[in-house]
Amino acid sequence: MGYPDLPRTQLFIAGEWADSQGGETFSVIDPSTETQICEVAAAAPTDVDRAVTAARHQFDGGEWSRMSGAERARLLIRLAELVEANAEHFAALEAREVGKPYADTLAVDVPLAIETFRYFAGWADKITGATVPVPDFMGKLRFSYTERVPVGVVAAITPWNAPTMITSWKLASALAAGCTVVLKPAEDAPLTSLLLAELVAEAGFPPGVLNVIPGLGAVAGAALTEHPGIDKISFTGSPDVGRIIARAASESFKQVTLELGGKSPQIVLPGADVAELAPVAAASLFANSGQTCAAGTRVLVHRSLVSEVAEALREQAAAQRLGDPFDARTTMGSLINARQRDRVMDYVAAGIEQGATLVTGGKHREGPGFFVEPTVFVGTNDLTIAREEIFGPVGTIIPFDDVDDAIRLANDTRYGLAAVVWSHDIPTVLSLTRRLRVGAVWVNAWGAPDPRLPWGGTKTSGIGRELGLSGLHANTEERVVNIVY
Ligand code: NAD
C-alpha cells in the first residue's frame, strides 16, 4: 500500500462539492515524511452558514425528517457496507495523514467504525418512550406518555488522532436518532471525513443530512459553534477548546457533549503478573505514539514491583520499531506535527529537570518525520509529566504503598476518563473500581472503546457520553404528551 487515492478535497454541502467561498485552502501534511499530501478547502463563515442551512432544511421538514427509523437503519447499514468495502482506503488515508501504522488502523480503527455504523443502525427503529401512570386531571382521565425525538442539527467537531473511528461515533448515533449533521474535521486529518462524505452520498442519504466542512478551528469551528441554527455540539478534543465551545454553547443554550483529554492511571497491584501485563501496559502507553485519549500514562505500581515493571516496560520500549506507517514491521509511527513533537520534548525536559528518573527513551529522531522514542520515567504524581496530558509516548511509573494510597493517587488528577487495574484478586479489584472517579475501567486489559458501551469521562475529561444507548439518547430529547379526555 503506497499513496492512496485522494477523496474530493472540497467542502461537501447539501450533497454538492464546492470550493470555499473565498477560495481559501489549507495544507494537509504527511507527518511521517513532512511532505504535503494535498490542499483542502477551508470553510469560511459563509460556508458554515450554508452547511447549517442545508442541515436545517432536511431536519425541519425535508425528506429526512419524514423518514422512518427503519429507513434510516437501511441507509446506515448501506453506509457500513460501503465503509467496509473501502476499509483499506480509509486505513491508508488515516495512516498517511496521522502517521500511524496502516496495519493498526486497518485492524482496529476501521473495523470499529464499521461496527459503530451497524450498531447504531440497529437502534434507529427502536427508539422508544414510555407510558407513565399519572393521576386523573381535574376529574378527567389522563393518558401520558414520553417520546424520544431527535435533538436537531448536530455540529460534530473532531480531533486528528483517530478520525475514522471518532467520526463514526458522532455520525452514526446522530443519524440513527434522526438528527442532521455538520461535521468539521480536524485540520491535520480531514481526509477520511471527506471519503465518508462521498460514501454518504453513494449510500443514498438525502443531500444536506451530512455536510462536511473542513477548516480552521478558530474560523470554521468557531462559526459553527456560535451558529444559531445548531441545536447540539458534539466535540472531541482538548479541554482548552472544550471550554471555548461550552462557553459559546451557553449563549444560546445548545446541548453539548464534550469528550476531552485524559491522564489515566494503570494500577499494578501486588502479586500482578508483570510478564503478562507488560505488552498491554506498553500498548496503552505507546499505541498511536501515545496520542490516545485513554492512554494509561500514570503507571501506579506497588512499591514491591517497581523495578520489575520498569525493566519490563524498558524491554517493551526497546522492541518498538519507529518508522514508515506502511512498513509492516513498524509498530510506532510519527507524532502529528512539529508543534506536538516539540511539546512532548518539552515535557520530557521538564521530567528530567524536576528529578524524574529516565528509564528509557527521551529523545526524538532527526527529521524528516516527527518521531519520538517511547519514553518511560519513574517519578511522583506531583511532577508536571504526571499532571498534564502529554499526548505523546511518555509514561511515568509512580510507586504506591497500599490500595488506599493507589486510589488516592489514581483520583489525584483533574482528569477522569479511564483507568486500568492489573490484578486477579477480584475482591480487591471490585473494592477499588467502585472508588475510581473515571468513565471507564479496564481490568487486566486495555483497548479501544466498544460501540455498545458508553464512552466519556468525568471532571476535565468531559461531559456526557457517546456510544452505547447513552450515546443514542444524547442525540434525542424527551417530549411528554398528556391526553386528557
Ligand atoms: P483540539 O482541541 O486542538 O482540536 C479539536 C477540534 O476542535 C479540531 O477540529 C479543531 O479544529 C477544533 N477547534 C479548535 N479551535 C476551535 C474553536 N475555537 N472553536 C471550535 N472548534 C475549534 O484537539 P486535538 O489536538 O485535535 O486533539 C487532541 C485532544 O483530543 C487531546 O486532548 C485528546 O485527549 C482529546 N481526545 C479525546 C477523546 C475522548 O474520547 N475523550 C478522543 C480523542 C482525543
Side-chain angles (χ1 to χ4, degrees):
M1 177 63 70
Y3 258 92
D5 290 341
L6 294 179
R8 303 283 294 258
T9 53
Q10 294 167 296
L11 312 176
F12 181 67
I13 298 175
E16 292 186 353
W17 295 91
D19 290 332
S20 87
Q21 280 197 337
E24 291 92 353
T25 60
F26 63 95
S27 293
V28 181
I29 304 295
D30 174 343
S32 68
T33 60
E34 299 183 39
T35 54
Q36 176 175 297
I37 302 173
C38 60
E39 290 280 323
V40 170
T46 47
D47 300 307
V48 174
D49 188 51
R50 286 195 304 122
V52 176
T53 303
R56 276 248 73 91
H57 170 72
Q58 279 298 340
F59 187 78
D60 296 329
E63 186 188 350
W64 178 251
S65 70
R66 294 189 299 275
M67 276 192 184
S68 65
E71 287 170 302
R72 296 199 303 274
R74 264 198 297 279
L75 287 171
L76 278 164
I77 286 167
R78 178 81 189 114
L79 181 60
E81 285 165 358
L82 288 169
V83 176
E84 195 162 37
N86 287 275
E88 292 180 355
H89 197 179
F90 275 98
L93 286 173
E94 182 156 327
R96 273 290 163 225
E97 63 184 354
V98 181
K100 68 179 15 166
Y102 169 77
D104 290 358
T105 314
L106 190 62
V108 179
D109 298 74
V110 180
L112 280 171
I114 298 162
E115 286 278 286
T116 302
F117 285 116
R118 291 220 163 95
Y119 170 75
F120 281 106
W123 274 123
D125 62 354
K126 300 172 192 66
I127 302 173
T128 56
T131 55
V132 183
V134 287
D136 291 350
F137 183 77
M138 298 175 86
K140 291 185 171 176
L141 289 176
R142 167 170 155 188
F143 173 66
S144 299
Y145 63 94
T146 66
E147 51 186 357
R148 282 199 177 269
V149 295
V151 70
V153 178
V154 174
I157 302 180
T158 52
W160 43 261
N161 64 327
T164 306
M165 188 172 71
I166 292 174
T167 303
S168 76
W169 298 354
K170 299 190 184 306
L171 202 56
S173 58
L175 297 181
C179 297
T180 56
V181 178
V182 180
L183 166 65
K184 210 282 308 157
E187 42 272 64
D188 284 303
L191 298 178
T192 56
S193 295
L194 292 165
L195 176 57
L196 200 59
E198 290 182 1
L199 301 185
V200 160
E202 192 178 335
F205 284 82
V209 170
L210 170 69
N211 305 275
V212 181
I213 47 161
L216 306 184
V219 180
L224 185 59
T225 314
E226 288 160 16
H227 200 291
I230 295 294
D231 298 298
K232 171 183 166 146
I233 304 167
S234 174
F235 172 76
T236 301
S238 62
D240 286 346
V241 175
R243 210 168 275 120
I244 295 173
I245 285 177
R247 251 185 241 125
S250 72
E251 277 302 312
S252 53
F253 301 104
K254 296 178 172 71
Q255 299 207 17
V256 283
T257 306
L258 302 175
E259 303 287 349
L260 309 175
K263 196 72 199 174
S264 299
Q266 305 196 52
I267 304 172
V268 183
L269 289 174
D273 183 336
V274 175
E276 182 187 308
L277 68 85
V280 187
S284 170
L285 289 174
F286 306 140
N288 201 12
S289 293
Q291 301 167 118
T292 309
C293 53
T297 50
R298 292 184 301 137
V299 189
L300 310 182
V301 181
H302 187 258
R303 213 171 281 281
S304 63
L305 292 174
V306 167
S307 316
E308 203 183 333
V309 170
E311 178 53 22
L313 289 180
R314 196 194 57 71
E315 282 171 15
Q316 292 293 327
Q320 301 296 323
R321 202 182 154 110
L322 277 66
D324 176 3
F326 291 90
D327 184 332
R329 293 163 300 178
T330 296
T331 62
M332 276 175 70
S334 63
L335 298 190
I336 190 71
N337 54 36
R339 193 179 67 245
Q340 188 66 14
R341 179 206 48 208
D342 296 346
R343 200 169 156 257
V344 172
M345 293 313 297
D346 286 348
Y347 278 117
V348 170
I352 292 167
E353 200 181 299
Q354 291 175 12
T357 306
L358 186 64
V359 175
T360 186
K363 296 198 192 70
H364 71 91
R365 278 208 191 152
E366 290 311 319
F370 309 116
F371 293 92
V372 174
E373 291 178 350
T375 299
V376 178
F377 285 102
V378 176
T380 53
N381 201 45
D382 55 355
L383 301 177
T384 305
I385 51 171
R387 305 221 63 85
E388 294 183 16
E389 185 183 46
I390 297 175
F391 229 52
V394 182
T396 306
I397 295 172
I398 299 167
F400 69 82
D401 293 309
D402 57 33
V403 170
D404 283 342
D405 195 23
I407 293 165
R408 183 186 59 75
L409 289 166
N411 288 335
D412 180 15
T413 170
R414 65 192 177 113
Y415 291 104
L417 187 58
V420 185
V421 182
W422 295 105
S423 173
H424 292 288
D425 173 357
I426 295 303
T428 306
V429 167
L430 288 177
S431 71
L432 195 151
T433 52
R434 66 174 61 161
R435 291 165 67 192
L436 292 171
R437 281 201 67 199
V438 297
V441 184
W442 283 97
V443 179
N444 298 319
W446 179 86
D450 186 285
R452 298 155 197 87
L453 295 170
W455 178 249
T458 63
K459 302 192 273 183
T460 303
S461 291
I463 296 173
R465 294 290 178 269
E466 288 190 306
L467 301 181
L469 184 55
S470 315
L472 178 80
H473 285 170
N475 288 285
T476 66
E477 281 181 313
E478 280 188 299
R479 178 161 58 209
V480 171
V481 181
N482 296 285
I483 302 175
V484 178
Y485 53 101

